[in-house]
Amino acid sequence: EVRLLESEGGLVPPGGSLSLSCVVSGVTFIRHGMSWVRQAPGKGLQWVAGITGSGDDTYYADSVKGRFTISRDNSRNTLFLHMNSLRAEDTARYYCAKMRSVMATATFFEDWGQGTVVSVSS
Amino acid sequence: QSMLTQPPSASGTPGQRVTISCSGSSSNIGSNYVYWYQQLPGAAPKVVMSRNNQRPSGVPDRYSGSKSGTSASLAISGLRSEDEADYYCAAWDDSLNGYVFGTGTTVIVL
């Protein structure tokens, strides 16, 4: 059984930083691209960032480029999202998602975690 | 980040057929596969349609997908109460170099 378990989010002041992690089990982690997708309260889904299975290639939404960094540790089956310069509009539930293939593009989000809540407020 | 356009809601009675549209552009739907995700209340999304019209394992054949030009649609036939959820289309966008999601459609079973 595939499982994706995100770390706990939290409350962060505007301009602050927070790191999320996602531990994946039940699959050969390196064979799958990974992504972060978020959902603001009462709103729709928004893709945030993606990374290939090897970690060599990363992709970002314009709204987070330069502020967020996606990375992975294949020896620990773990995906990360480092978030800097957080803004109120970054408040959302953040989902970790496993891609169908080793790519981070031209494929789909096959499995999802339950998400973790990040709140940006003073 | 631009989004794909979906109607806010769609409804039907049990047994009816409901169709959800998804409108994009040449850089996303026009040149890449479309995927559809179902999000039940309080749950994480789940893929219900892959590569325009391919049902992943476990998705009932009441679900079907299609794509034409820069638009796509998801149809649910034989509507059941458990189909009541939010549905999102998604596609890779070559111009943005990222994924775009639809605005979401809430399916209501009357």
Side-chain angles (χ1 to χ4, degrees):
Chain A
E1 181 191 1
V2 180
R3 296 189 69 182
L4 293 83
L5 186 62
E6 295 100 339
S7 59
E8 192 170 334
L11 174 63
V12 185
S17 300
L18 185 68
S19 290
L20 304 179
S21 64
C22 172
V23 177
V24 181
S25 60
V27 291
T28 305
F29 186 59
I30 198 171
R31 291 183 181 175
H32 295 274
M34 297 291 298
S35 282
W36 290 96
V37 176
R38 69 185 180 184
Q39 187 168 33
K43 302 296 184 182
L45 301 172
Q46 182 189 26
W47 174 79
V48 174
I51 187 169
T52 54
S54 65
D56 287 345
D57 295 300
T58 57
Y59 306 85
Y60 297 93
D62 287 343
S63 57
V64 306
K65 205 170 290 183
R67 299 188 300 122
F68 290 12
T69 301
I70 188 172
S71 62
R72 62 191 294 160
D73 183 340
N74 286 341
S75 69
R76 291 194 289 152
N77 285 10
T78 304
L79 175 73
F80 301 98
L81 184 67
H82 305 286
M83 302 181 290
N84 296 322
S85 303
L86 282 161
R87 306 165 180 167
E89 53 265 36
D90 295 318
T91 294
R93 177 174 289 273
Y94 285 73
Y95 292 99
C96 161
K98 178 182 76 64
M99 311 307 289
R100 179 68 174 87
S101 76
V102 70
M103 300 172 66
T105 67
T107 182
F108 65 93
F109 312 103
E110 185 175 38
D111 294 287
W112 300 65
Q114 285 305 301
T116 188
V117 176
V118 173
S119 296
V120 183
S121 174
S122 54
Chain B
Q1 203 88 0
S2 64
M3 299 183 82
L4 307 176
T5 302
Q6 298 178 234
S9 65
S11 62
T13 57
Q16 280 190 327
R17 175 185 172 96
V18 164
T19 301
I20 305 166
S21 61
C22 174
S23 178
S25 68
S26 57
S27 62
N28 42 64
I29 294 179
S31 50
N32 293 292
Y33 289 121
V34 177
Y35 303 92
W36 289 89
Y37 298 88
Q38 175 196 63
Q39 187 175 32
L40 295 169
K46 163 195 163 186
V47 62
V48 293
M49 196 61 58
S50 167
R51 292 192 169 193
N52 305 332
N53 56 15
Q54 297 180 18
R55 276 179 294 104
S57 174
V59 176
D61 60 7
R62 301 183 295 104
Y63 286 76
S64 61
S66 65
K67 177 184 129 173
S68 178
T70 58
S71 294
S73 63
L74 177 73
I76 310 171
S77 59
L79 199 62
R80 303 176 67 162
S81 58
E82 57 259 41
D83 299 324
E84 198 161 89
D86 292 327
Y87 292 82
Y88 297 90
C89 56
W92 181 261
D93 190 297
D94 293 332
S95 295
L96 297 173
N97 210 31
Y99 280 101
V100 287
F101 279 96
T103 48
T105 298
T106 299
V107 168
I108 302 165
V109 182
L110 300 169

